[in-house]
Amino acid sequence: MDNIDLSKPVEIAENTYWVGSYIQDDFFQCHSYLIKNGKESILIDPGSLITFEETLKKLKYLINLDDIKYIVCHHQDPDLVSALPEIEKVFPDRERYIITHWRTYFLLRHYNLLTPFYLVDQHEFKLELENGKELKFILTPYMHYAGNIVTYDPETKVLFSSDIFGGWIEKNWSLFAKGEEYIEAIKTFHETYMPCKKIILHSIEKLKKLDIEVIAPQHGSIIKGKDFIKKIMLAVENFEYGKMIEAEKLESFRAKEHKRHILSIIKELTIKELFMSKILRIVERQISSVLPVKNIIAILKTNGHFYVYSKESNYIPRKLDKLKFDKDNFFIFENGNTKIFIEPRNSFSLSEEDREFLNSIASLIVHVAKREKWLLSIQEKKKLLKDKAYKDILTDLYRRELVKELIEKEFHRSKRYGYHFSVLMIDIDDFKKINDTYGHLLGDKVLKKVAEIIKNELRKSDIPIRYGGEEFLIILPHTNLEAARKIADRIRKAVEKTEIDGIKTSVSIGVADNSLSRKLEDIIKKADQALYTAKRMGKNKVVVATT
């Protein structure tokens, strides 16, 4: 890979940037681009829900989102356009257009978008901007879609080529194409993707008339240099096309890509999903789609106990003090105190590729197991804390002064392993008035009932704390800001519906997470400030801290 920081935008020509998302081990690498042009900036091929989060970060790094007036969609594939509904949610409201061909429009309209369309076939295949800049659009039908277009910027001499000149790169991908080897990558991609030479020659003849210095494709690598571009165009004219007809010859290729996709899904899952049981259920189903696998058994050893996860128990862990296990007919993968057993449906031998695939899966499970051991340890510690009266007698929630160390350890672990960490600050509205009007006995009942509602809405891994008086602090490990907001709103609604001895009450809630600060005390402070904003807004509200 290039020695380029791919977490930031990369300038490929004057005021022209790659704003895509690098996905490890992806053969395609889907790209988005930005042309900076003041209040008429242009986003080209916005991308998918997988890539858009990274693209959004890069766009914010370069410009105000309000500056983007045009979004070019060369065709309708989801890896190129499925981020459009998300764009309508997060981009500021202003005059904005989606630029495409009428054939593509008839498919994009199924996203039920509010943004109007600028159809190139109704505007002489060009876009004239207020500062005199002009973009040209070229119809390249059936490459690979009937209404496919490409975009040419005469000022920078950049061709945004959609799928054309894209490459299929299995190893050592680089953002910029490196010599002759990239021609082979283009060949692999085009011969199975484009239908026939007649269609290719029709479009290449149009493109050869342009003065091109940079080709920015949707897939593969960016191509720079006139001589190199001429050589690539000549090569493309002489490839063989329509090879998907020979599908049986491509079976191994398909299987390899399927396994790569499964690895990508599981890798993403291990980042987002907290619990090992759910991960193992999905892993077993995914592996079974490519190999005759009957069962996966994971065994963790921690604190002198064995925890066994298997299909038989729906991957809910069984705690054992001693382990008796028949290892025959299993493929075994071991790492320290974690063992993974894969049981085949019938007798079959593993190819080197299969073994490498299963080893990669097992490595991901081992990574999850480390986190699971910690969660199991936390569960045991929670029981110990309860046994030692670490909980508030009235509410049965943790006492603030006694769990400070536990909270700090959880927070530092989130920093170390890079997972989400959210907090809720909850306060019972008008609690003093309840005490003054109805007495402290009813006030105590209200505290107990609100605490009970809070516990009912939380997971076992969450940490509810009586923070002081009628105020509660909730620690939500592995929970992002949006998920924390939903939990807060469930608590608020549940309290609102509840009646205690004929009295109704409500709570105000502030929400914050570790994207706002690297210090625990700052996050709690921001949640507290959001709580008091909720109070000022009329109470019985959830407010999410923003800065």
Side-chain angles (χ1 to χ4, degrees), residues 449-467:
K449 190 60 183 177
V450 170
E452 181 186 322
I453 290 168
I454 288 170
K455 284 188 291 182
N456 288 342
E457 295 297 337
L458 299 181
R459 305 165 299 182
K460 288 183 178 180
S461 57
D462 300 329
I463 305 172
I465 302 154
R466 186 176 182 189
Y467 202 64

Side-chain angles (χ1 to χ4, degrees), residues 34-229:
L34 175 74
I35 300 174
K36 278 181 70 175
N37 191 58
K39 287 290 184 180
E40 291 189 305
S41 293
I42 304 115
L43 174 61
I44 295 178
D45 295 344
S48 72
L49 295 177
I50 294 173
T51 60
F52 184 63
E53 186 176 347
E54 274 299 311
T55 294
L56 189 62
K57 287 180 186 175
K58 291 181 173 73
L59 292 173
K60 288 179 177 178
Y61 185 90
L62 289 168
I63 58 171
N64 293 320
L65 297 180
D66 191 49
D67 290 342
I68 297 175
K69 184 174 180 179
Y70 299 101
I71 301 169
V72 176
C73 296
H74 288 129
H75 58 80
Q76 83 298 336
D77 280 2
D79 57 342
L80 186 152
V81 302
S82 62
L84 286 172
E86 196 66 20
I87 285 175
E88 289 198 341
K89 291 179 188 175
V90 300
F91 277 29
D93 186 26
R94 65 153 291 180
E95 181 188 11
R96 186 176 289 112
Y97 299 92
I98 296 170
I99 298 177
T100 196
H101 187 267
W102 72 267
R103 286 296 300 266
T104 303
Y105 158 72
F106 274 99
L107 293 175
L108 294 187
R109 66 179 180 170
H110 289 280
Y111 283 106
N112 198 25
L113 301 166
L114 297 176
T115 308
F117 285 82
Y118 177 105
L119 302 182
V120 296
D121 43 287
Q122 293 179 9
H123 292 84
E124 299 179 343
F125 285 86
K126 64 183 179 182
L127 173 68
E128 296 176 341
L129 302 171
E130 289 178 5
N131 64 352
K133 187 177 183 69
E134 180 179 288
L135 294 183
K136 295 182 178 179
F137 306 101
I138 299 98
L139 180 63
T140 54
Y142 304 105
M143 293 186 70
H144 71 100
Y145 171 65
N148 196 81
I149 59 170
V150 298
T151 303
Y152 177 63
D153 183 349
E155 185 180 323
T156 58
K157 300 180 181 178
V158 176
L159 175 70
F160 301 94
S161 63
S162 183
D163 284 326
I164 308 170
F165 308 114
W168 181 278
I169 304 170
E170 293 193 31
K171 292 181 180 178
N172 302 319
W173 173 80
S174 59
L175 182 59
F176 293 96
K178 295 180 178 178
E180 303 290 328
E181 62 190 56
Y182 188 65
I183 294 178
E184 192 60 33
I186 295 175
K187 181 179 181 182
T188 304
F189 180 68
H190 281 56
E191 288 192 336
T192 58
Y193 208 50
M194 305 296 181
C196 68
K197 187 173 284 191
K198 182 178 180 180
I199 284 168
I200 302 300
L201 294 177
H202 171 79
S203 293
I204 293 296
E205 282 303 314
K206 294 182 185 179
L207 301 183
K208 284 165 70 175
K209 296 174 183 176
L210 304 174
D211 184 13
I212 305 170
E213 292 185 356
V214 179
I215 294 178
Q218 190 204 344
H219 301 294
S221 300
I222 296 165
I223 305 161
K224 299 189 84 169
K226 287 186 175 183
D227 290 341
F228 189 27
I229 288 168

Side-chain angles (χ1 to χ4, degrees), residues 374 382 398 400 403-404 406-412 414 419-426 454 458-467 472-479 484 487 491 510 512 520-521 523-524 527:
W374 172 76
K382 279 185 178 180
Y398 291 114
R400 172 182 177 179
V403 292
K404 186 171 182 286
L406 179 64
I407 299 168
E408 287 175 348
K409 281 184 179 178
E410 176 65 52
F411 179 68
H412 289 305
S414 75
Y419 59 77
H420 291 289
F421 177 98
S422 293
V423 303
L424 309 182
M425 190 66 81
I426 304 174
I454 288 170
L458 299 181
R459 305 165 299 182
K460 288 183 178 180
S461 57
D462 300 329
I463 305 172
I465 302 154
R466 186 176 182 189
Y467 202 64
F472 306 94
L473 173 68
I474 315 300
I475 304 299
L476 303 172
H478 297 277
T479 307
I487 292 168
I491 293 169
L520 177 59
E521 56 269 30
I523 297 170
I524 294 173

